[in-house]
């Protein structure tokens, strides 16, 4: 299954349940943050983690991101590729390789 098919399934799932009415950009942003916190909880007390639980939380985050992009008319693939291009400029390999410093510190 490709990403376009995944997006259609996420949107279809929501439409079948008439949940779109609740999916304002604000509510979706809140949901993304909440699910990200739940993903972080998988690592709260130990570097050991339950891969299945982390996978489910990551899927929740991606689902909400897909819905938010759809709601806002954002092509998520283009947005990701544009951001990679910007990050390539901020973090050239010759300056950032092996470094965790922010681009302003390179």
């Amino acid at each position: 299954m490709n990403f376009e098919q995944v997006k259609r399934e996420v949107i279809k799932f929501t439409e079948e349940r008439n949940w779109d009415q609740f999916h304002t950009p604000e509510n979706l942003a809140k949901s993304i943050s909440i699910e990200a916190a739940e993903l972080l909880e998988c690592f709260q007390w130990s570097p050991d983690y339950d891969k299945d639980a982390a996978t489910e939380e990551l899927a929740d985050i991606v689902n909400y991101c897909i819905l938010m992009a759809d709601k806002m008319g954002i092509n998520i693939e283009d947005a990701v590729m544009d951001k990679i291009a910007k990050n390539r400029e901020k973090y050239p390999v010759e300056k950032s390789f092996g470094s965790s410093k922010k681009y302003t510190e390179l």
Side-chain angles (χ1 to χ4, degrees):
M1 184 175 284
N2 66 37
F3 192 62
E4 191 60 39
Q5 291 169 314
V6 171
K7 289 191 308 187
R8 282 196 302 267
E9 285 299 314
V10 170
I11 293 164
K12 178 182 172 189
F13 180 87
T14 299
E15 288 173 347
E16 289 172 342
R17 286 152 182 82
N18 193 27
W19 288 350
D20 186 62
Q21 62 182 313
F22 308 116
H23 290 170
T24 63
E26 177 186 4
N27 285 344
L28 291 167
K30 290 175 188 176
S31 296
I32 291 166
S33 181
I34 291 164
E35 294 300 337
E38 290 178 11
L39 175 61
L40 188 58
E41 189 175 31
C42 294
F43 305 93
Q44 186 172 9
W45 302 114
S46 169
D48 300 323
Y49 60 93
D50 178 336
K51 185 176 180 180
D52 291 336
T55 299
E56 284 194 22
E57 298 306 337
L58 186 58
D60 286 339
I61 295 164
V62 172
N63 286 342
Y64 281 126
C65 288
I66 289 169
L67 291 169
M68 187 166 193
D70 181 66
K71 179 63 74 172
M72 296 177 69
I74 296 169
N75 179 302
I76 203 162
E77 295 96 331
D78 290 344
V80 169
M81 295 309 294
D82 289 347
K83 186 63 177 176
I84 289 172
K86 288 178 183 177
N87 284 342
R88 278 196 176 106
E89 289 181 26
K90 287 184 191 177
Y91 297 97
V93 172
E94 59 276 3
K95 288 185 177 180
S96 60
F97 186 82
S99 173
S100 63
K101 291 181 180 178
K102 187 173 179 176
Y103 70 95
T104 56
E105 298 173 358
L106 294 173

